[in-house]
Each structure stands twice: as C-alpha cells, then as structure tokens.
C-alpha cells in the first residue's frame, strides 16, 4: 500500500473530482484530488459526505481505484495499492494506518487495535476514530470487531460488513 507511513494532516483539498460506482455492497461514492483518494462513501450511510458545489463530477480520475475495487470484490485482490489522502487528527491517522496493517481475511478487536498503537489509547477512542474512517474498504475498518467476536459498527451497515468479511474469508465471491 502506498502512503502507509506518510499519513499526516493535509492542507485543504485541491480540485476535487468525484463519481459514483455500483458495487456488490451498493453504490459507492469516490472523491479524490491530486494528493490521492479522499473519500469512499456508502450511499446508504447516515454520514454521507456532501458534494460541494466546487467539486467536479468526473469518472476518469478513478480508473485505477475502480479496477482495484472490482478485483477486490472479485476475490482477486488482497491489498490495495493506491495513493490515499485521508484527512483527520494525528490520532485518527495513526488508527487508520494501524487498520491498514490488519491482514486480508483477518480481524482484530478494538482493544487489539488500541494495544498496537505506539501510545495505547482507550478502546472507545479507537472505536470513534475507526467510525470516522473516510476511506472504508480500502482502509479496512470492516476488519475491526467486538472483543467477543461480534460485528459492531460500520458506516456501510452491518450487513455489508458481514459481506466484506465473508468475501475475505473465502465464504463468498461477489463478482
């Protein structure tokens, strides 16, 4: 993955392009600028990002993102290699970078993610940062589960979280 060690609070977005794509987990919203992919959103999400008037609807910049997402949903891609530009607090960025180290097909509890951080943080803080992940699927917040193994919280809905985990455990092929 590109950008794992380079996460930092970024300057305001430059010219932003966006598009919607169909996927096995519903319509996905993609937004990016020259620095990289900024957002992946689920149409069904309660926290859908608004499209700002200055953003440009243009599918062309997303060719590689779409190709990799299709390969992922087809069970052919296990690790994304895309320029990412998530924006958040230093703590959120540390959590999101930590999520990117959870191997395909594996899960971790919020407590385990908290323990992995250089300065361990309360589990609740990790959960809040996980919930604010602006690039789900690619930054795999769906791989974080409750300490008892239960599926908890996911911006795309728990049904989609289960679909993604089943795909990664080879119990499901989506394309």
């Amino acid at each position: 993955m590109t950008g794992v060690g380079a996460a930092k609070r970024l300057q305001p977005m430059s010219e932003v392009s966006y598009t919607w794509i169909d996927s096995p987990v519903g319509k996905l919203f993609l937004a990016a600028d020259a620095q990289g992919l900024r957002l992946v959103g689920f149409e069904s999400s309660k926290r859908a990002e608004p499209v700002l008037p200055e953003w440009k609807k243009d599918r062309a910049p997303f060719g590689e993102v779409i190709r990799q997402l299709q390969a992922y949903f087809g069970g052919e891609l296990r690790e994304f290699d895309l320029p990412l530009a998530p924006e958040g607090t230093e703590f959120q960025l540390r959590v999101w970078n930590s999520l990117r180290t959870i191997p395909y097909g594996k899960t971790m509890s919020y407590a385990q993610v908290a323990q992995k951080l250089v300065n361990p943080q309360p589990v609740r803080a990790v959960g809040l940062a996980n919930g604010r992940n602006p690039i789900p699927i690619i930054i795999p917040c769906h791989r974080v589960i409750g300490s008892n193994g239960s599926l908890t919280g996911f911006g795309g809905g728990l049904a989609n979280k289960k679909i993604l985990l089943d795909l990664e455990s080879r119990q499901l092929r989506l394309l």
Side-chain angles (χ1 to χ4, degrees), residues 150-170:
S150 65
L151 300 186
T152 59
F154 183 62
L158 291 182
N160 282 336
K161 183 172 187 163
K162 181 170 180 6
I163 288 170
L164 296 172
L165 292 174
D166 287 350
L167 167 70
E168 292 185 10
S169 67
R170 300 288 192 214

Side-chain angles (χ1 to χ4, degrees), residues 32-88:
D33 65 7
Q35 296 179 44
L37 187 63
R38 295 287 189 139
L39 300 168
V40 172
F42 291 85
E43 181 179 44
S44 62
S45 176
K46 294 176 184 144
R47 292 187 324 108
E49 294 288 333
V51 175
L52 300 178
E54 63 270 19
W55 291 9
K56 182 174 102 178
K57 187 171 185 177
D58 184 5
R59 190 177 177 98
F62 299 98
E64 184 60 16
V65 176
I66 294 167
R67 185 194 72 72
Q68 288 191 34
L69 281 168
Q70 288 173 337
Y72 169 79
F73 288 125
E76 300 161 4
L77 182 83
R78 292 175 169 238
E79 187 173 315
F80 291 93
D81 184 17
L82 298 165
L84 304 181
E87 192 168 23

